[in-house]
Amino acid sequence: MEHKVLLSANEAVAQAAYHAGCTVAAAYPGTPSTEVMENIAKLKDAIRCEWSVNEKVAAEVAIGASLAGARTLVAMKHVGLNVAMDPIMTFTFVGAVGGMVVIVADDPGMHSSQNEQDSRVLAKFARVPVFEPSDSQEAYDMTHAAFDLSEQFEVPVFIRLTTRTSHASTLVNIDPDAPRKEVVSKGYTKDIIRNVAVPAYARPMRARVEKRTEALRNFAANSEFNRVEKGDNHLGFVTAGISYQYVKEVFPEFSVLKLGLSNPLPVETIRNFAATVDRLVVVEELDPLLEEQIRAAGIAVVDVKTPLRMMELNPMRITALRQELLGDATPPPVQSTLDGLPNRPPVLCAGCSHRGVFYILAKLKATVAGDIGCYTLGAFAPLSAMDTTICMGASIGSALGMEKAGMDGRIAAVIGDSTFLHSGITGLLNVAYNRGTITTVILDNSITAMTGHQKNPGSGTTITGAETVTIDIAAICRAVGIKRVCEVDAYNLAELERVLKEELDAPEASVVIAKGPCVIATKANVGATPYVVDPNKCTACGLCFKLGCPAILRGEAVGKRFKSAIDPAACIGCDQCRQVCKFNAISPRS
Ligand code: SF4
Ligand code: SF4
């Protein structure tokens, strides 16, 4: 009996991993991929799953599991793939034993990322097959197929999701009574020539990779996931992933070649399709990866002028393409105007323990190399206390580089606990080894907050809730050679200022661990006693506004300035504003 359920692609992938007999899964959280592992964790009895400390380690766990004969899955966002590429590039030479599926979720438009990149490019570079689902049903079906393909061709297989497919929910036909596939593990076979990538063995592996790529291209040509949908042949579209949905919506009457298995590109399939249409148009999200290969094969493609190469596609942008190609586009629906609505830039939560650190660093006029996490919001006004953000773990090396370049003044690196454990430790080791004098501030809330409060080695529990070691971050810092390491209460602003000033001015490297829980994860915002401003004492000096707490509002106007007021519904009583007010105007509500 048919049984349809509404699932996001991330949920569908988790379900498919279960049904396909996957037994080991690893990931590092990152939007928009996080829910893949969160949903697999609900199946923890069947799949051994983990939050790994970073994507490289997650990929290595999956590689080990594959070599041991198990079906395995690893999930990450696009920038995580950069971190994981080192082991993946070589594992494409060695080859999978148990099926290995790599879920990588791109973020076109950078809803929650520091850059925009197309993971298909890296997949082509690594010579691995890529599935591009257009909806959750395909995410489910393709995950199944990816495990089989991985074992058939002994290659890790990518599934490229994007924000829209990862998070949009569509109907998936799942038989609730379908048993989980009983995959008999192939077990581990010691085979040094096969599994040890040293030059002598890697050279024949290299040749095998090329041979395999051509075999995969033939496979793709016959894949059920690459299909022609015939229509008016004045135009023919080659498309993949979420772009397919937009093409079908805006050009419903025309022929489409939908590529579900897009790498290696089935060139002859495209050539045959091109021969049946007057004009061939390629629509893909982000890089012109398909288009460039199609052109390189000598197949004529319409040179589209509508800008489609950057940011997320949507039906309106594809409607502009229709206007260019046919001149008959129905204007996109008028969007409701946002005029008059207040700007709502992202901001640290009311009572966030990171706020005081940035307030003090700004006060001390430190140059701050920042990192990836909620705390990147410290870059925005009124705190404006972060000077750079590059990628996970880059703060510490960047700060050292500033020092080596001879920059004057106080230099700090600011990094969260999860990011420090992800890729900051080696940077700190480098500071100690190369005699840097920067101060590294670790914002320790013992959780991976930005992606939704996932556990990390500082949390004391695993993804399944099992108790485990709680990493001592201070001990790690000392172990890599930093002598000046101290912990400070992130809410004690006077102590923070004293310690940060002392460490920033010290002639050697130091680490300040600012400890304070995430107010959302600990529900500190529930039932808290809010603070109030006494308007009779408030002088409208404006100092508390510099904290940037969203609970602090403008009160009564005093000339061009404003007294402050506190929103009792938002305030969690963290006390930071009371500490900065020099007029004792702020206190807990009695
Ligand atoms: S710091 Fe104190 S005096 Fe200054 S605006 Fe805020 S509440 Fe008023
Ligand atoms: S006590 Fe002050 S700084 Fe803390 S949440 Fe309330 S208004 Fe914001």
Side-chain angles (χ1 to χ4, degrees), residues 533 538-545 564 581 583 585-586:
V533 178
C538 178
T539 64
C541 74
L543 209 53
C544 59
F545 290 115
S564 110
C581 178
F583 301 94
I586 302 177

